[in-house]
Amino acid sequence: MKRHCKPKLCVEILGSNDKDLPQVQPVFISIDPERDTPAKLKEYLADFHPRLIGLTGTSEMVKKAAKSYRVYYSRPYDDNEDYLVDHTIIMYLVRPDGSFAQYYGQNKTVEEVVQGIKEHLKKSN
């Protein structure tokens, strides 16, 4: 059985009832371009949120993006050839110009992430 990561926190933030949360563009970047084609990503991410965009590229492009954001990932294989991927679980807030603003690990609550996004947007206005 093949399993996928679930961008749950991102979806919960997008579904937040916080009326003050401005529109943000969520992006999911695959770390497995051999398996995650654009068509597969589109189909998979449709289950989460209509604005969630999936990105992939060549192995070199993914490696470069991961290095830029200090994301660790590896694809170990077990004896049963089960699909396994070990990776950093993190969300990044990126400014419209592409520069880094903040990161949010899996230990953050939806409320903490929403508040962090609002604070960063206030500073940039």
Side-chain angles (χ1 to χ4, degrees), residues 4 30 32-45 54-57:
H4 294 270
S30 169
D32 189 357
E34 294 172 20
R35 183 192 67 168
D36 296 336
T37 64
K40 285 183 181 178
L41 277 176
K42 184 177 180 179
E43 178 183 344
Y44 170 67
L45 295 175
L55 300 177
T56 189

Side-chain angles (χ1 to χ4, degrees), residues 44-125:
Y44 170 67
L45 295 175
D47 289 339
F48 294 100
H49 197 277
R51 288 199 341 260
L52 188 56
I53 294 173
L55 300 177
T56 189
T58 65
S59 292
E60 277 305 309
M61 293 165 80
V62 169
K63 186 177 178 180
K64 184 177 178 182
K67 185 176 180 182
S68 295
Y69 286 95
R70 296 186 172 110
V71 170
Y72 160 82
Y73 68 97
S74 71
R75 287 188 48 196
Y77 290 91
D78 68 10
D79 293 339
N80 298 325
E81 295 186 25
D82 284 338
Y83 180 79
L84 301 171
V85 175
D86 185 18
H87 61 83
T88 305
I89 300 172
I90 202 157
M91 285 190 338
Y92 294 91
L93 179 61
V94 179
R95 294 180 186 97
D97 67 2
S99 63
F100 171 81
Q102 184 58 278
Y103 73 92
Y104 306 99
Q106 63 184 2
N107 61 331
K108 296 289 185 187
T109 66
V110 170
E111 293 77 19
E112 290 171 322
V113 176
V114 168
Q115 185 60 36
I117 292 170
K118 289 188 324 190
E119 287 172 10
H120 278 280
L121 290 171
K122 230 184 265 184
K123 289 177 192 176
S124 66
N125 288 337

